[in-house]
Amino acid sequence: MKKGIKQIKTYLLLWSTQSISTLGSSMTSYSLVLWLYMSSGSALKTALLTVCSYAPYVAMSIFVGALSDKWNKKRTMLICDLFAALTTVVAFLLIKANALQPWHLYVINALNGLMNTVQQPASEVAATQLIPKEYYQKTGALRSLSQSLNTILTPVLATPLFAFGGISAVIVIDLVTFSAAFMTLLLFIQIPEPTKKEKDRESIIYSAKSGLSWLRSNPLILKLILFLSGINLIASAYNAALSPMILSRAAGGKGVLGAVNFCSGAAAFAGSFIASSNTAPKNRVKSICLSLFCSMSTENFLLAFSNSPVIWCTGAVLGWLFIPYMGANLDVILRSAIPTEMQGRVYACRNTLQFFTIPIGYLTGGALIDRFFEPLLLRQSGRSLLVSLFGSEKGSGAAMFLAFLGFAGVAVCIIFSLLLSRENAGKYE
């Protein structure tokens, strides 16, 4: 065990400090969602925060990934982190001047999204360079562990900070955690660069095309990515509906929203231990499909057809328990299959294909809740079947939308499971 820790000691230092910084950033994002929804009451305006974050990520990833294979990974990560911190400082100054407006947040989120677009492929390649192949599944589970801890701790820490100190107090914590991660990466982390090859002198357009060509020549991985793209569409629309539903309903509120998010994180935390302790499954592709089916067939329905916080929390647990296991197996497949010198451009193409549905889901979800589902429920009579299923108070339309997403998620899982079962010939067992 000690030998294993020594082999990934540098990665563990990078992972732990970056995870703490991510927690600070998540607390800021969570507080901004609360601030914007409480000030506007609009699911669409709140969803636009995430749309602005993901728009540059989707639009620029393919080209940025080609650059990532050429640039120094450590330098890229440092510059992107520093720029993102500067945008947070701008938000802090606007708050102190009592001048913060929603459009400021949209611009800031778009700039942060651009920096994340540049940084993410570099971070993936850096991780591959620091991790021995036999530790891919365990380190993939570690990333899920940190993500789940962030989900648990974000509402627990951000809610009281936001209540007693406002957004500015949350941002101060964000900047402190950033400083710790930045200085650790700058002073103590050495990231080996992949061996330079002739194709490093290729044009950006040609390099981007080579990433897409690699995916086309590996149809199983391409179908997995498209499967996750469909799931991300459902999940992002779910996220657009969750806060409006819980914050608006009589049984909900900020505390209940925090409890549901806490349960999601706790379930993912437990799932991370399952992923890290289990041996490699006989069929990684089948494990991914089953994990996502368990999530899609439970959480949305329990949230939609109940008005009980206990049931909502139960749904959150069932929805997130197997996600780390899915992520760890996907991570092993990608890192094992993609050549190291091409990972930046292939991961970037993956980002565009897998995540382009996220801003669509948030934007469409917010718009449908505000302009269709909520008005539809408010127009129903007390004896209507829809009212008996979802209620007639504000937030009931969001609940109905979650039920729709539940059926859509199950359909996506069934369709892609059939497609992948035909493609998978045991290569990733």
Side-chain angles (χ1 to χ4, degrees):
M1 181 65 180
K2 289 183 179 179
K3 183 180 178 181
I5 292 176
K6 186 176 180 180
Q7 286 182 294
I8 58 173
K9 181 175 65 175
T10 301
Y11 173 75
L12 290 175
L13 181 60
L14 177 65
W15 163 75
S16 59
T17 53
Q18 291 290 320
S19 296
I20 292 172
S21 179
T22 301
L23 174 60
S25 300
S26 299
M27 289 168 58
T28 298
S29 298
Y30 182 85
S31 298
L32 290 175
V33 168
L34 291 177
W35 178 83
L36 188 55
Y37 187 76
M38 291 172 66
S39 61
S40 68
S42 170
L44 178 58
K45 288 183 179 179
T46 305
L48 280 172
L49 285 173
T50 304
V51 171
C52 290
S53 294
Y54 271 95
Y57 193 70
V58 169
M60 301 299 295
S61 275
I62 290 180
F63 305 105
V64 169
L67 290 172
S68 177
D69 280 333
K70 301 173 185 293
W71 290 344
N72 180 278
K73 308 302 178 291
K74 177 176 175 177
R75 191 179 301 127
T76 300
M77 294 169 67
L78 287 169
I79 292 172
C80 292
D81 280 344
L82 183 60
F83 188 92
L86 290 175
T87 63
T88 304
V89 170
V90 170
F92 180 80
L93 294 176
L94 287 170
I95 291 166
K96 287 300 182 182
N98 199 28
L100 185 65
Q101 298 294 324
W103 72 266
H104 293 142
L105 299 180
Y106 299 149
V107 173
I108 287 171
N109 275 24
L111 292 173
N112 282 335
L114 181 60
M115 290 302 100
N116 190 41
T117 303
V118 178
Q119 185 191 54
Q120 199 272 340
S123 299
E124 294 287 359
V125 178
T128 300
Q129 291 296 99
L130 293 172
I131 304 169
K133 187 174 182 179
E134 63 268 25
Y135 290 96
Y136 283 172
Q137 179 159 338
K138 291 188 180 297
T139 54
L142 280 178
R143 283 191 290 276
S144 296
L145 178 66
S146 62
Q147 291 166 5
S148 58
L149 272 175
N150 284 343
T151 305
I152 293 171
L153 294 176
T154 292
V156 172
L157 299 176
T159 301
L161 272 175
F162 179 78
F164 295 107
I167 298 178
S168 58
V170 180
I171 289 178
V172 168
I173 299 298
D174 186 1
L175 293 174
V176 170
T177 58
F178 153 77
S179 300
F182 183 87
M183 295 307 296
T184 299
L185 177 57
L186 177 65
L187 300 176
F188 303 109
I189 304 292
Q190 295 298 322
I191 300 174
E193 286 294 307
T195 303
K196 299 295 182 182
K197 296 191 176 182
E198 181 68 25
K199 58 187 170 185
D200 288 327
R201 292 193 288 270
E202 294 171 349
S203 70
I204 300 303
I205 299 297
Y206 188 88
S207 295
K209 287 181 179 179
S210 68
L212 290 172
S213 296
W214 189 92
L215 286 175
R216 283 198 298 268
S217 65
N218 291 268
L220 176 62
I221 291 180
L222 179 58
K223 287 180 182 179
L224 273 173
I225 289 171
L226 294 177
F227 182 17
L228 269 294
S229 177
I231 294 298
N232 283 336
L233 178 65
I234 306 297
S236 55
Y238 157 86
N239 286 329
L242 183 66
S243 294
M245 188 198 82
I246 293 179
L247 290 174
S248 300
R249 306 195 88 171
K254 288 185 290 184
V256 175
L257 178 61
V260 171
N261 285 324
F262 178 88
C263 289
S264 298
F269 183 79
S272 299
F273 282 102
I274 295 173
S276 62
S277 59
N278 272 15
T279 57
K282 292 183 178 180
N283 189 311
R284 292 190 187 277
V285 174
K286 185 178 292 186
S287 297
I288 290 171
C289 294
L290 289 175
S291 297
L292 290 173
F293 182 80
C294 289
S295 176
M296 291 291 110
S297 63
T298 54
E299 183 177 17
N300 285 312
F301 294 117
L302 290 174
L303 285 162
F305 292 112
S306 173
N307 200 28
S308 165
V310 174
I311 302 299
W312 295 341
C313 290
T314 302
V317 170
L318 294 174
W320 285 92
L321 183 61
F322 299 105
I323 295 302
Y325 188 65
M326 177 279 297
N329 282 288
L330 179 65
D331 191 64
V332 173
I333 290 175
L334 295 178
R335 291 192 191 281
S336 300
I338 305 170
T340 304
E341 68 274 9
M342 287 196 66
Q343 283 192 3
R345 67 199 77 178
V346 176
Y347 270 112
C349 293
R350 185 282 300 262
N351 292 345
T352 295
L353 294 173
Q354 184 174 320
F355 300 126
F356 84 94
T357 54
I358 290 179
I360 295 174
Y362 270 98
L363 191 60
T364 304
L368 285 173
I369 291 167
D370 281 353
R371 299 179 182 180
F372 179 74
F373 285 98
E374 288 290 345
L376 175 65
L377 265 295
L378 291 175
R379 289 197 300 266
Q380 301 299 309
S381 66
R383 296 181 179 179
S384 166
L385 175 62
L386 293 178
V387 171
S388 65
L389 289 173
F390 305 109
S392 59
E393 61 183 324
K394 185 172 175 59
S396 299
M400 182 180 175
F401 182 57
L402 286 172
F404 170 78
L405 293 178
F407 289 110
V410 169
V412 168
C413 288
I414 292 173
I415 291 170
F416 274 95
S417 294
L418 293 173
L419 291 173
L420 289 166
S421 66
R422 296 172 186 170
E423 190 73 47
N424 184 25
K427 183 178 181 181
Y428 299 109
E429 291 182 2

